[in-house]
């Protein structure tokens, strides 16, 4: 009989088809799960979106895509889908590869497959092709069904081409994840090892990075990784991070686009090609006797054991150090090193026991465990040394700094409700986003530079740990800035500034013109046309008059703002940061928020609300206000005050809402509050005797009604506390006054 | 021709094959015998290209087998522990092999299917051990390969089918001139089937000979002498084993029976007789020679 030898292509294709047939059950299972989380979940969400609007809104809904809240570049995925995709992309390849690569993990199957007239490389190629097909079919079914669901539900907005693009990205992600699982399958002898190694390879890099980051933040005071660097690191260390970013952050509201997360997906696809290369090279000479045995690639095993020990050791070190509440730096250091070493040895022993399915090899590996402990001591000690000695004190060369962006909370933001910028996304939709202040002038940069230098030199604990409860430091604010260097690098630092350690450098920074003009956008000339009106309030903020920005008053309006900004910039910043003076009046502005987001102009900077204090030193501003007919508001008038009480307690009053900077709490019922205060007064009188007998000063409630004369006397001491950091200052000794009018109430601190 | 030269295979610390040298002629049926763990299965896996040799070479038709698709297309390996695709039937497995082996013969498969008393549509995981073995042999023969490697070929098969399988293999070898290597502990089966026998022990081949030649090389002789003789007097014979009961000697001797009888004639025996030696006896005596002797163990 004459036979024609089958070609490699024919054998490859036939084995591929045969493999798919054998795995029809798996395809069906994955499709069923995907169908539930993809078209069905999306359909439910579409239905929800479509029924969320009233009938009269429906036309607007159809015309304005900003009403939709579906996710992804294609505008068609629900929340369930976008969380399902990464899970699927991680789990499906593990399941599929374990099913396909049975000959690598089963001795008998190895006999069958390795005796076939197809090379090992060819077989791996078949498994790769079959694996991709098996995992892609369910997604493809979902991709095809979703538009049908959209048509059925009359959901009008989705982008078929972007759906195809998303599908392609999903395939790339599957390809990447499968490369890791397949490498593990080739390098191990059992399915258990393959799953464990794959899982660890997914988790370990990101865990190690997370622990090192936490350690750096703990030991290097001020060290901060920027959000961009976090994104990049996650994207490069975790194969589905790019996918999560693509689907989650290309939500319509956040203005993403088709390219979000794509660089990471492409990076991983490229890395996958390398991993496949390694797998194909390795399988060519892979020993068949590995199948079904505990033999595995020694390099991969060593990497897994070492990294596991590092992650576990450092995590245990950090955990025990935290549990011990060690405040003294040298003990923290010692504790971290000792517990990391113990943890490293322990995790190494556990890893060894798991991989060898018992403790029989442990005795042989004791030397390795000891080496792991020593290595961990060296690694943790090295990390601590690097953080404390090198990173913590590092400052860039001043001449290399191009600009500094500052994210200061509260800083001058205390006066405004956030500075936002209108940004246009890839699809031409404008949205608002928080922006940091960017300082370019040399002297402003010098202020920040000197501030960091001061903090490094001081090395104060409250800056590092934020709060020293023994000293009752509860007023701490974060101060984060990023040096943008001329060579393109960025260095970010984050410090805590407490009210008692607010340095002269920090205060001077807050008084710098460049800082003020960005933080209070009212003082930015470009902003002026957008303001429709201002409000002028008296010092107690009981009376209020509006100052419209009308055509005929435009010059007056601009003059007032120019004068106020000049005087504000020229004043000593300590006046408002340390609240050494009570304002005589206030200027309030509200940006009209009737404007739809799409109507904002790209690059438009917005601060929606703000309160600017006017001090006695602002003579020109006050003269202008008198000239414009608002002079009455500069005079003290206590006639609206119906009742005033003084208290020292935060336990009975919600200081944040009543005594804080919220001066008009319109959402509270005045009658309710007044009754509440009366009740408190009554309780106070009833408890008087017992309170007096209580020696614990902090426990004593102090609340009493004051006369008009007493009220007038304390007015100069009253502070609105625009500064968050001062809000709770000297909590136990600061008195507060609550002022009740006929229809409102306000809270003020009294400076003692 | 299958040729192993200084073939070495190690599993960790253990050396399964150490410098094995053997040549198997084309068109022959080669019986591979040996003790447990001697390396028979390892050798077959090396021939099938399942294992990669750690030293030496294993060649078929002058080429290394490992990863040689064209060579492996001519080799079908039936391992000692069978594996079938999950939930598959004989038909499924036939399709699977037909996709991969160029020589697959559906007609022959149908013909053989009728001979073997197994259902080709039944799930293989429900079959008994012997039925699975029959299915494996059915598939192996249908692949129509030039080299058939059967590890523990008759394990679990009933005597009737064993006979049929023996005939099928013999027919295949005769008609298509295929080379068959069979490893088995059932030496009786091999004796009826094989042209050549190789004895493997501790990872190397003790001997590899034509079966007839092998059997001719040993003989069992019974002889009686009057007066009685001492065994030391027969120093000209290569006696492997002897037993003396009175004047009657029973000896297993290396060499041709006629030559042995002629040698004994000089001692004027009362009675001499040469008996043929079975393969099993040859095997046992050879193994005793290398110290694999459990006859003297007292339980």
């Amino acid at each position: 009989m004459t036979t024609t030898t089958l070609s490699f292509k024919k054998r490859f294709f036939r084995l591929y088809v045969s493999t798919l047939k054998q795995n029809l059950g798996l395809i069906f299972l994955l499709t069923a799960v995907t169908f539930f989380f993809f078209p069905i979940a999306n359909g439910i969400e579409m239905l929800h979106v479509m029924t969320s609007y009233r009938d009269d809104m429906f036309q607007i809904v159809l015309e304005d895509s900003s009403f939709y809240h579906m996710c992804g570049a294609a505008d068609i995925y629900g929340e369930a889908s976008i969380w399902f995709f990464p899970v699927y992309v991680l789990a499906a390849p593990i399941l599929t590869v374990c099913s396909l690569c049975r000959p690598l993990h089963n001795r008998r199957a190895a006999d069958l497959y390795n005796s076939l007239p197809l090379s090992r490389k060819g077989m791996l190629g078949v498994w790769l092709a079959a694996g991709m097909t098996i995992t892609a079919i369910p997604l493809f079914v979902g991709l095809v069904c979703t538009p049908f669901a959209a048509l059925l539900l009359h959901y009008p907005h989705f982008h078929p081409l972007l759906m195809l693009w998303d599908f392609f990205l999903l395939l790339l992600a599957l390809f990447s994840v499968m490369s890791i699982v397949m490498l593990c399958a080739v390098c191990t002898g059992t399915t258990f090892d393959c799953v464990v190694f794959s899982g660890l390879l997914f988790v370990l890099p990101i865990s190690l990075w997370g622990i090192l980051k936490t350690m750096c933040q703990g030991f290097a005071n001020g060290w901060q990784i920027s959000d961009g660097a976090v994104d990049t690191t996650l994207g490069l260390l975790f194969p589905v991070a790019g996918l999560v970013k693509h689907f989650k952050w290309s939500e319509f509201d956040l203005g993403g686009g088709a390219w979000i997360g794509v660089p990471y997906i492409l990076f991983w696809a490229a890395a996958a090609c390398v991993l496949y290369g390694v797998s194909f090279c390795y399988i060519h000479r892979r020993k068949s006797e590995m199948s079904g045995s505990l033999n595995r690639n020694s390099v991969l095993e060593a990497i897994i054991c070492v990294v596991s020990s590092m992650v576990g050791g450092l995590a245990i070190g950090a955990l025990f150090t935290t549990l011990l509440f060690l405040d003294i730096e040298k003990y923290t250091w010692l504790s971290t090193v000792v517990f990391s070493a113990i943890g490293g040895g322990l995790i190494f022993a556990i890893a060894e026991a798991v991989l060898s399915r018992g403790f029989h090899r442990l005795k042989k590996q004791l030397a390795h465990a000891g080496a792991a402990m020593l290595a961990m001591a060296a690694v943790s000690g090295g990390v601590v040394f690097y953080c404390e000695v090198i990173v913590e004190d590092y400052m860039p060369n001043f001449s290399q700094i191009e600009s500094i962006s500052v994210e200061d909370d509260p800083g001058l933001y205390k006066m405004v409700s956030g500075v936002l910028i209108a940004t246009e996304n890839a699809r031409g939709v404008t949205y608002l986003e928080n922006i940091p202040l960017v300082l370019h002038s040399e002297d402003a940069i010098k202020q920040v530079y000197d501030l960091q230098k001061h903090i490094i030199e001081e090395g104060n604990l409250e800056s590092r740990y934020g709060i020293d409860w023994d000293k009752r430091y509860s007023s701490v604010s974060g101060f984060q800035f990023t040096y943008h260097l001329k060579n393109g690098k960025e260095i970010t630092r984050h410090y805590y500034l407490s009210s008692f350690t607010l340095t002269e450098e920090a205060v001077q920074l807050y008084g710098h013109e460049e800082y003020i003009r960005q933080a209070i956008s009212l003082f930015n000339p470009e902003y002026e046309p957008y303001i429709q009106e201002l409000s002028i309030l008296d010092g107690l903020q009981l009376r209020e008059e509006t100052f419209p920005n009308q055509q005929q008053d435009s010059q007056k309006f601009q003059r007032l703002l120019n004068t106020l900004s000049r005087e504000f910039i020229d004043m000593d910043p300590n006046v408002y940061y340390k609240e050494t003076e009570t304002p005589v009046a206030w200027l309030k502005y509200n940006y009209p928020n009737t404007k739809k987001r799409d109507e904002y102009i790209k690059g438009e900077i917005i601060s929606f609300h703000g309160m600017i204090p006017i001090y006695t030193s602002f003579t020109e501003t006050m003269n202008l206000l008198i000239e414009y007919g608002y002079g009455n508001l500069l005079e003290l008038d206590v006639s609206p005050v119906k009742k005033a009480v003084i208290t020292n307690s935060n336990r009975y009053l919600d200081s944040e809402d009543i005594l804080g900077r919220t001066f008009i709490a319109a959402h509270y019922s005045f009658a309710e509050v007044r009754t509440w205060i009366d009740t408190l007064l009554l309780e106070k009188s009833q408890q008087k005797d017992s309170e007096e007998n209580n020696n614990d000063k902090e426990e004593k409630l102090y609340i009493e009604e004051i006369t008009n004369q007493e009220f007038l006397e304390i007015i100069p001491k009253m502070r609105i506390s625009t500064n968050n950091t001062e809000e709770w200052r000297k909590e136990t000794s600061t008195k507060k006054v609550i002022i009740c009018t006929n229809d409102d109430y306000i809270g003020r601190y009294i400076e003692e | 021709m299958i040729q192993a030269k200084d073939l070495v295979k190690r599993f960790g610390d253990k050396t399964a094959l150490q410098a094995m040298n053997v040549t198997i002629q084309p068109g022959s049926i080669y019986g591979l015998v040996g003790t447990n763990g001697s390396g028979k299965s390892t050798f077959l896996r090396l021939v099938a290209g399942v294992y990669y040799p750690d030293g030496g070479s294993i060649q078929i038709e002058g080429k290394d087998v490992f990863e040689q698709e064209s060579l492996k297309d001519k080799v079908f390996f039936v391992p000692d522990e069978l594996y079938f695709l999950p939930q598959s039937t004989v038909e499924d497995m036939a399709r699977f092999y037909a996709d991969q082996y160029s020589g697959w013969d559906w007609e022959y498969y149908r013909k053989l299917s009728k001979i073997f008393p197994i259902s080709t549509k039944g799930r293989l995981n429900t079959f008994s051990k012997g039925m699975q073995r029959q299915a494996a042999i059915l598939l192996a023969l249908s692949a129509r390969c030039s080299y058939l490697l059967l590890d523990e070929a008759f394990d679990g098969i009933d005597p009737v089918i064993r006979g049929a399988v023996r005939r099928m293999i013999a027919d295949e070898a005769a008609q298509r001139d295929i080379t068959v290597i069979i490893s088995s502990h059932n030496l009786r089966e091999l004796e009826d089937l094989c042209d050549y026998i190789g004895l493997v022990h501790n990872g190397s081949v003790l001997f590899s000979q034509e079966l007839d030649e092998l059997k001719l090389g040993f003989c069992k002789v019974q002889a009686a002498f009057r007066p009685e003789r001492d065994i030391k007097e027969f120093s000209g014979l290569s006696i492997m084993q002897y037993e003396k009961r009175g004047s009657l000697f029973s000896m297993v001797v290396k060499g041709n029976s006629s030559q042995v009888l002629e040698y004994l004639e000089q001692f004027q025996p009362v009675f001499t007789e040469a008996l043929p030696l079975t393969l099993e006896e040859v095997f046992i005596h050879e193994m005793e020679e290398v110290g694999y002797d459990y006859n003297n163990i007292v339980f």
Side-chain angles (χ1 to χ4, degrees):
Chain A
M1 188 175 68
T2 308
T3 55
T4 313
T5 307
L6 288 169
S7 67
F8 171 80
K9 276 184 189 172
K10 269 189 183 171
R11 282 203 180 96
F12 184 96
F13 181 71
R14 286 175 176 185
L15 187 62
Y16 167 75
V17 173
S18 155
T19 308
L20 289 185
K21 280 183 188 168
Q22 287 166 41
N23 285 280
L24 277 176
L26 181 62
I27 296 174
F28 179 77
L29 176 75
L30 291 176
T31 307
V33 174
T34 308
F35 194 76
F36 185 75
F37 282 101
F38 192 0
I40 289 187
N42 289 344
I44 291 169
E45 200 141 336
M46 281 177 212
L47 198 64
H48 174 70
V49 169
M50 298 303 288
T51 53
S52 293
Y53 302 103
R54 298 189 309 274
D55 290 343
D56 56 344
M57 289 284 286
F58 193 69
Q59 195 54 37
I60 303 170
V61 170
L62 287 178
E63 288 168 2
D64 185 353
S65 58
S66 66
F67 278 90
Y68 287 98
H69 296 286
M70 299 296 278
C71 311
D75 274 352
I76 201 164
Y77 311 106
E79 282 284 336
S81 289
I82 59 169
W83 288 115
F84 168 72
F85 288 147
V87 175
Y88 179 87
V89 165
L90 273 181
I94 295 181
L95 205 63
T96 309
V97 169
C98 287
S99 168
L100 293 177
C101 298
R102 202 174 292 119
L104 299 175
H105 304 138
N106 180 315
R107 197 166 61 88
R108 293 190 299 154
D111 281 344
L112 188 151
Y113 279 88
N114 289 334
S115 62
L116 289 178
L118 189 64
S119 65
R120 284 161 165 76
K121 284 182 182 177
M123 223 166 280
L124 192 65
V126 169
W127 293 331
L128 171 60
M132 284 302 297
T133 312
I134 290 167
T135 49
I137 286 173
L139 292 175
F140 184 74
V141 171
L143 181 87
V144 171
C145 292
T146 301
F148 281 111
L151 290 173
L152 204 68
L153 296 164
H154 305 290
Y155 178 85
H157 281 275
F158 68 91
H159 308 273
L161 284 177
L162 285 174
M163 277 190 83
L164 278 175
W165 172 241
D166 290 340
F167 179 64
F168 175 67
L169 294 179
L170 280 166
L171 290 187
L172 281 183
L174 280 172
F175 179 76
S176 309
V177 171
M178 203 168 283
S179 70
I180 296 174
V181 188
M182 212 156 251
L183 178 69
C184 292
V186 171
C187 292
T188 57
T190 63
T191 304
F192 176 80
D193 281 353
C194 172
V195 173
V196 169
F197 276 38
S198 305
L200 289 175
L201 280 184
F202 288 134
V203 172
L204 284 179
I206 208 164
S207 306
L208 183 63
W209 173 74
I211 287 167
L212 288 174
K213 176 175 165 275
T214 309
M215 284 183 77
C216 285
Q217 280 171 332
F219 286 104
N221 179 29
W223 182 84
Q224 186 75 14
I225 186 166
S226 67
D227 290 347
V230 170
D231 268 5
T232 307
T233 315
L234 287 177
L236 298 181
L237 291 181
F238 195 49
V240 295
L243 201 68
V244 173
K245 198 173 166 59
H246 177 76
F247 283 106
K248 180 62 189 163
W249 300 116
S250 57
E251 272 184 84
F252 183 85
D253 283 351
L254 295 164
W259 291 100
I260 288 184
V262 173
Y264 303 121
I265 297 173
L266 292 177
F267 164 79
W268 272 101
C273 291
V274 176
L275 293 180
Y276 282 122
V278 174
S279 298
F280 274 90
C281 287
Y282 186 71
I283 200 170
H284 181 60
R285 285 296 161 97
R286 180 186 187 271
K287 294 195 166 187
S288 301
E289 56 268 31
M290 242 172 98
S291 305
S293 75
L294 294 182
N295 292 334
R296 50 187 83 88
N297 180 274
S298 54
V299 176
L300 186 65
E301 185 177 0
I303 291 172
I304 294 280
C305 277
V306 167
V307 182
S308 299
S309 303
M310 279 180 76
V311 171
L314 292 174
I316 289 172
L319 179 71
F320 275 77
T321 304
T322 310
L323 289 176
L324 290 172
F325 289 110
L326 293 170
D327 285 341
I328 304 166
E329 259 180 66
K330 64 177 179 183
Y331 292 137
T332 311
W333 185 90
L334 190 65
S335 160
T336 305
V337 171
V338 170
F339 284 113
S340 295
I342 295 170
L346 199 64
I347 296 296
F348 183 88
I350 292 171
E352 186 54 44
V354 171
L355 293 179
S356 56
R357 314 283 196 276
F359 295 93
H360 53 279
R361 264 189 8 170
L362 199 58
K363 200 175 167 186
K364 281 185 190 170
Q365 297 289 341
L366 274 179
H368 289 166
M373 289 178 76
L374 280 176
M376 279 317 302
V379 168
S380 55
V383 171
V384 174
F385 177 82
Y386 177 75
C387 292
E388 290 197 339
V389 178
I390 297 169
V391 178
E392 186 169 305
D393 294 347
Y394 178 75
M395 289 186 74
N397 191 329
F398 184 77
S399 62
Q400 287 299 309
I401 302 169
E402 189 166 296
S403 64
I404 295 180
S405 53
V406 179
E407 288 173 51
D408 187 14
D409 179 27
L412 262 175
Y413 287 139
K414 68 191 177 184
M415 294 182 185
V416 297
S417 66
V419 179
L420 307 166
I421 188 166
T423 307
E424 197 173 276
N425 73 7
R427 279 177 276 149
V429 179
T430 311
Y431 62 101
L432 301 173
E433 144 182 270
N434 282 303
I435 55 162
L437 308 182
V438 183
L439 307 173
H440 289 93
S441 67
E442 192 178 325
D443 49 343
I445 291 172
K446 186 83 169 66
Q447 296 286 358
V448 180
Y449 194 77
D450 288 346
L451 177 60
Q452 192 201 359
K453 204 170 179 181
H454 176 84
I455 292 169
I456 289 172
E457 284 166 1
E458 287 286 308
N460 52 346
L461 283 174
E462 60 269 24
S463 177
R464 165 168 295 180
Y465 298 111
I467 296 169
D468 183 344
W469 291 104
D470 292 339
K471 292 181 187 172
R472 309 293 298 176
Y473 285 5
S474 51
S475 52
V476 179
S477 62
F479 181 81
Q480 181 170 318
F481 57 90
T482 302
Y483 291 115
H484 302 278
L485 304 183
K486 286 171 183 164
N487 59 11
K489 285 185 180 172
E490 292 186 349
I491 299 164
T492 303
R493 291 289 181 269
H494 182 277
Y495 297 106
Y496 290 102
L497 303 178
S498 78
S499 53
F500 293 126
T501 57
L502 194 64
T503 62
E504 193 56 31
E505 286 86 352
V507 174
Q508 289 308 316
L509 173 69
Y510 296 149
H512 196 278
E513 181 177 356
E514 193 179 10
Y515 186 97
I516 290 172
R517 285 206 188 275
Q518 287 190 62
I520 306 174
S521 46
L522 184 67
F523 293 162
N524 188 336
E526 290 175 15
Y527 184 74
E528 188 264 325
Y530 300 108
I531 296 291
Q532 289 179 346
E533 63 174 31
L534 295 171
S535 294
I536 317 294
L537 290 92
D538 71 338
L540 289 173
Q541 296 176 348
L542 299 174
R543 292 170 294 146
E544 179 178 343
E545 288 182 31
T546 56
F547 182 4
N549 185 13
Q550 290 167 344
Q551 189 68 36
Q552 66 273 24
D553 296 329
S554 176
Q555 278 191 329
K556 285 163 69 178
F557 195 86
Q558 203 168 347
R559 201 170 144 212
L560 175 66
L561 287 184
N562 288 344
T563 309
L564 178 61
S565 62
R566 186 163 35 78
E567 288 190 316
F568 193 90
I569 289 162
D570 289 345
M571 76 182 290
D572 176 3
N574 281 300
V575 172
Y576 58 85
Y577 273 102
K578 299 199 169 171
E579 296 181 358
T580 56
E581 200 181 316
T582 304
V584 290
W586 297 84
L587 189 144
K588 183 176 77 170
Y589 68 94
N590 276 308
Y591 192 84
N593 49 10
T594 51
K595 195 169 168 180
K596 285 203 299 186
R597 282 184 310 181
D598 284 1
E599 290 169 9
Y600 285 102
I601 301 159
K602 185 180 173 184
E604 185 180 344
I605 294 174
I606 313 295
S607 62
F608 280 96
H609 313 284
M611 285 287 289
I612 314 295
I614 297 168
Y615 295 101
T616 48
S617 58
F618 293 9
T619 49
E620 283 186 49
T621 306
M622 288 199 288
N623 286 339
L624 273 180
L625 287 174
I626 293 165
E627 185 188 325
Y628 297 163
Y630 299 102
N632 61 320
L633 293 171
L634 303 175
E635 291 163 12
L636 184 64
D637 180 6
V638 293
S639 59
V641 179
K642 298 301 170 196
K643 182 187 269 189
V645 294
I646 291 181
T647 181
N648 67 342
S649 175
N650 281 320
R651 294 194 304 277
Y652 297 92
L653 300 172
D654 181 347
S655 64
E656 182 132 355
D657 286 334
I658 298 176
L659 297 178
R661 58 180 175 164
T662 312
F663 52 92
I664 298 172
H667 53 286
Y668 279 90
S669 157
F670 171 69
E672 230 176 76
V673 174
R674 196 161 53 182
T675 310
W676 177 35
I677 291 167
D678 287 343
T679 311
L680 284 173
L681 283 170
L682 185 66
E683 280 176 9
K684 162 68 188 162
S685 65
Q686 286 170 349
Q687 294 170 7
K688 192 175 178 182
D689 291 342
S690 60
E691 294 283 348
E692 280 175 356
N693 291 332
N694 190 344
N695 290 328
D696 186 352
K697 211 178 172 184
E698 287 187 23
E699 290 300 314
K700 281 190 177 179
L701 170 67
Y702 181 85
I703 181 165
E704 71 176 85
E705 191 169 348
I706 54 173
T707 63
N708 281 355
Q709 187 55 41
E710 286 170 326
F711 178 66
L712 284 170
E713 283 170 10
I714 64 165
I715 284 176
K717 296 178 185 176
M718 279 165 40
R719 303 281 181 266
I720 192 171
S721 188
T722 52
N723 190 339
N724 269 352
T725 61
E726 296 299 301
E727 201 169 295
W728 286 32
R729 188 161 62 126
K730 296 176 189 171
E731 182 181 309
T732 53
S733 59
T734 304
K735 290 177 185 173
K736 297 117 192 174
V737 59
I738 297 174
I739 306 155
C740 305
T741 66
N742 269 337
D743 52 8
D744 219 331
Y745 65 92
I746 57 172
R748 290 284 188 277
Y749 287 91
I750 306 166
E751 189 71 28
E752 288 182 306
Chain B
M1 187 170 71
I2 298 171
Q3 192 170 31
K5 275 187 192 166
D6 300 324
L7 189 61
V8 177
K9 183 66 194 171
R10 295 186 196 93
F11 298 111
D13 301 335
K14 193 193 163 205
T15 304
L17 296 184
Q18 42 188 342
M20 180 190 256
N21 288 291
V22 66
T23 302
I24 298 168
Q25 296 303 325
S28 62
I29 302 178
Y30 192 93
L32 208 56
V33 296
T35 52
N36 296 124
S38 58
K40 302 185 297 295
S41 298
T42 303
F43 175 71
L44 287 179
R45 283 190 174 88
L46 282 159
V47 177
V50 174
Y51 287 162
Y52 179 76
D54 293 317
S57 66
I58 176 79
Q59 294 185 329
I60 295 179
E61 296 172 3
K63 289 178 192 167
D64 287 333
V65 189
F66 191 77
E67 292 291 80
Q68 282 290 330
E69 291 177 15
S70 56
L71 272 184
K72 286 168 84 175
D73 192 28
K74 298 178 184 173
V75 180
F76 197 102
F77 174 49
V78 180
D80 50 349
E81 290 179 75
L82 298 171
Y83 177 82
F84 301 105
L85 300 175
Q87 304 299 315
S88 61
T89 62
V90 181
E91 283 284 335
D92 294 335
M93 289 306 297
R95 273 192 292 275
F96 178 78
Y97 283 123
D99 285 345
Q100 297 301 317
Y101 285 96
S102 313
W104 181 268
D105 187 343
W106 279 109
E107 199 182 323
Y108 192 58
Y109 166 77
R110 303 281 174 226
K111 188 177 154 191
L112 291 180
S113 304
K114 288 173 188 160
I115 297 170
F116 284 101
I118 51 171
S119 161
T120 55
K121 291 189 168 50
R123 291 203 185 283
L124 280 155
N125 58 3
T126 63
F127 282 15
S128 71
K129 185 184 173 185
M131 287 163 78
Q132 287 187 350
R133 182 63 64 180
Q134 287 179 44
I137 290 171
L138 161 63
L139 294 165
L141 291 172
S142 304
R144 293 259 158 162
C145 293
S146 305
Y147 299 90
L148 193 56
L149 314 176
L150 305 173
D151 197 0
E152 301 297 343
F154 306 105
D155 194 19
I157 302 180
D158 66 68
V160 177
I161 300 298
R162 265 209 309 264
V165 169
R166 268 204 312 270
R167 276 199 301 279
M168 284 175 204
I169 292 170
D171 288 351
E172 275 289 290
Q175 288 170 14
R176 295 203 306 114
D177 203 28
I178 67 168
T179 308
V180 184
I181 307 179
I182 307 176
S183 91
S184 178
H185 291 292
N186 189 338
L187 304 185
R188 180 71 195 86
E189 304 286 351
L190 296 184
E191 200 170 354
D192 289 351
L193 184 64
C194 297
D195 307 323
Y196 292 86
I197 290 292
L199 177 60
V200 186
H201 182 63
N202 283 343
S204 56
V205 177
L206 289 184
F207 63 78
S208 174
Q209 268 180 301
E210 204 170 339
L211 184 62
D212 294 339
E213 194 182 309
L214 176 69
K215 287 165 88 173
L216 285 174
F218 294 90
C219 63
K220 195 174 179 180
V221 178
Q222 287 187 333
F225 300 93
R226 198 168 295 271
E228 287 185 19
R229 300 274 181 184
D230 188 80
I231 191 73
K232 287 176 185 168
E233 292 179 53
F234 310 134
S235 57
L237 290 178
S238 174
I239 300 168
M240 297 174 72
Q241 193 191 42
Y242 80 95
E243 191 181 0
K244 188 183 174 196
R245 284 182 190 162
S247 58
L248 182 69
F249 280 92
S250 291
M251 297 179 282
V252 176
V253 184
K254 263 188 184 175
N256 189 298
S257 56
S258 54
Q259 287 170 350
V260 172
L261 291 176
E262 194 180 318
Y263 175 78
L264 290 176
E265 279 301 321
Q266 61 181 297
F267 299 99
Q268 296 171 342
V270 178
F271 156 78
T272 55
E273 184 186 24
L275 299 171
L277 212 61
T278 63
L279 182 59
E280 191 161 323
E281 285 168 320
V282 174
F283 176 75
I284 290 167
H285 293 310
E286 279 292 327
M287 295 318 295
E288 282 172 2
E289 283 254 297
V290 291
Y292 196 74
D293 181 8
Y294 287 83
N295 286 327
N296 301 324
I297 293 173
V298 179
F299 292 98

